Amino acid sequence: MPSSATIHHPDRPSILAGYSTLPDVPDELVREDGSIKPEWLSLIAHIDGLHPDERERAFARGAQYLRDAGVFVRHYGEEQNPRDWPLSPVPVIQPASEWKALGEGLAERADLLEAIVADLYGENRLVSEGHLPAGLVASNPEWLRPLVGVKPASGHFLHFVGFEIGRGSDGSWWVLGDRTQAPSGAGYALENRVASMRAFPGFYSGSHVERLVGFFRGFRDGLNAMRREEGSRAGILTPGPMNETYFEHAYIARYLGMMLLEGDDLVVDDGKLMVRTVSGPKPISVLWRRMDAAWSDPLELAADSRLGTPGMLGAIRSQGVTMINALGVGILESRAFLAFMPRLSEVLHGKPLSVSNIATWWCGGERERAHVRANAHDMLIGSANSTRLPLELEPGAVLRGDTSEIGLDLDTWLAREGRNLVGQELVSLSTTPAWEDGGLKPRPMRIRVFLARTRDGWQLMPGGFARLAATSDDPSAVSLRRGGTVADVWVVSDKPVPEDSMLGHTDEVFVRTAPGLLPSRAADNLFWLGRYVERAEGYMRLTRAYMSRLPETPAGGTPLMSKLDDYLEQHNLDMAEGVPAAIEQTIAAAVNAASRVRDRFSVDAWASLADLERTVGNMRKTVDPGDDAAAAMGVLLRKITGFSGLVHENMYRFSGWRFLTIGRSLERAIAMADLLGTFAEWSGPHGGFELCVEVGDSVMSHRSRYPVTASRETVVDMLALDPLNPRSIAFHIDEIRDQVSLLPGADMNGQLSELSKAVLRIQSDLSVSSPENLDQDSLIELRQTIGLLTNDLHAQFLD
């Protein structure tokens, strides 16, 4: 056990009991003599001083925040649901002085990568002079020939880069891989930091941990400074919700205050990139892409892409958009390039690399093949174009010279495929303490760090995104796929750290800015989210009404129950189930719509919707028809109205909220017209009027307004024509009319849009109607007319 200056109670063991460093491997916590490093002392003392129950509660707070925020891990090809984010509560700590020196070395490497890619798409001197093999470049799938000779509008190919780093046996940092395509992890680093703050609330504020906000503010300001015309925007391009890092895309967009865009949101017009918005096409001149380059333009790159924007390369050539990072820079991530980086640094910068990368040999030359052959027992041999990190095995790779899986002996394989292979030295990564079984255990780690190009040059994030191996004896398990965990990275200064925020400081006079643009796709998803949530609520009320009657009146036992059976069947509500599948499916559709506009929802609203989905799923397995189901519907109704309340009370009243509200009101008006048209008949079964009032959640209002038994006149008046009843058709047509009038294009030079005219006609007809003339045929026609408003809405704003 390492010596320490911690103070712990003698009646319980120290958290360092049993902590044993690995032989010949540097450890982040302790020195070679076994003493704790100075930057760790205060945190270890704090954790050690907590009672075990208090400690577990503290760590649980961080984990609970991540669950509430919806942070998860999902990998391509996995069929199971997303898994909880595997955060190790103990951060990785680095001294600020060492981090600063590391940043200077990585900035030099970022400049070298910039020079390399500028040459590859420009003069091509590195290939022509023999410093890089021509075949190695030409065979790389990330080498995009259509972009040769195209200069980025900003003058730079790289603006945001990541480096996977690990500490080697001599204690110095190595670069394990360069990340230039669309580096992920910065958003997760932010969420890890928030979770760490929740786990150590009192300690963190006085711990001199450098804040992350200045890094993101500098990058955001740098992006905004690159906008090329007045009124243009900067946005983030995402492949969409099915991407494994989509949560991060949405989180970063919300954090930076930028639009989150998919390929379908964009269109190229006369060489300029435009966003399809509800106000018409609007220019966007800076795009931070979070998708691989090949998918960005189906016209000139991957023809089968459904993620990109046709004509994107044309906009780049005409300098109508600055892409962050430039298309084609993914070639720098190839393993083989690591073999040439030391030489390229000498050629381009006249000096060796300040931060070396892991030793790599390209097997295209006889001397290199001979070295790899002789040292294969200490190497991983794999594809030259792979972007996997050392120790990350992919199909066709060979570990420690064992070629049994590929059916060839090593000599033959290297001779045949040498130009397509690299050998990389197997390394032992330094270890850092991870919390396991009530104590600290050393686990191999690597850190992804990030550099952003700001107006003041490259800036290193004062922190990062650490991955920890699942076991101490298998460094290759530094992977979430193999059970690894993640940790926050604290860069600790020796003096107090000032508070900071995304607002920064300015002497400019404050001017309230206009609300952000609303892409048509986002408006469409908000509209349908409103409809799905309202539809699910209606299904819950119908189910509760049926289930509460079931114990006294068996299914089909009365004319009302028989008619209700038919009505529920028309809506795919199977009452043989305690919680009908249609409710679960509708909630799932709402979650899907919300996930596509995740950047526009608060953490509380998303957590509320996710909780509703989980609750419905659990109830489907346990709830029986009858009173049990009726009570369950009450629980679900309280949860779904809680979500609606969060959204409608806290969501800013801009165009997005209007589309959500229109969807909600449209669905409720349609459902009520359908319900009245079925059960509010003169000659309908006994109890139909009461059913309408109950499902319409207007029992108390009806009793106070009409001190008589429910009749057709009172029910139709209350639920169809009363403009003050938030459950009536008239109320929601008025609401739709109000919201449509505030949308762009509602009134052009005194001429109403087709949507505005259609809503006004319905509103006028309802205002002059009475219960007597609003018969069953009229209600059915009204339902159809209201439903057709969706077509007008799509034609004007969403198609």
Side-chain angles (χ1 to χ4, degrees), residues 548-562:
S548 63
R549 289 165 170 77
L550 191 58
E552 297 181 2
T553 310
T558 66
L560 177 63
M561 289 296 282
S562 179

Side-chain angles (χ1 to χ4, degrees), residues 543 547-548 550-551 574-580 618-633:
T543 302
M547 293 298 181
S548 63
L550 191 58
D574 185 357
M575 292 299 113
E577 304 169 316
V579 178
N618 292 334
M619 285 182 172
R620 286 266 299 151
K621 304 171 186 175
T622 59
V623 172
D624 296 322
D627 288 336
D628 191 24
M633 291 304 108

Side-chain angles (χ1 to χ4, degrees), residues 5 126 131 145 152 162 165 248-249 260 273 291 320 326 347 370 415 421 489 509 735 786 795:
L126 295 176
H131 303 298
R145 294 180 182 275
I165 62 173
E248 181 188 37
H249 307 167
L260 185 63
L273 194 63
M291 70 165 67
V347 171
L421 299 173
V489 178
V509 177
E735 182 71 61
I786 297 172

Side-chain angles (χ1 to χ4, degrees), residues 657-674:
W657 180 84
R658 303 192 194 290
F659 279 95
L660 183 69
T661 300
I662 290 170
R664 175 173 176 264
S665 289
L666 190 69
E667 187 68 29
R668 184 171 289 187
I670 291 171
M672 185 53 67
D674 188 47

Side-chain angles (χ1 to χ4, degrees), residues 63 66-67 71-74 81-87 614:
L66 293 169
R67 284 193 294 271
V71 188
F72 59 83
V73 57
R74 177 175 60 199
N81 292 328
R83 292 171 285 156
D84 288 343
W85 189 241
L87 179 69
R614 284 193 301 271

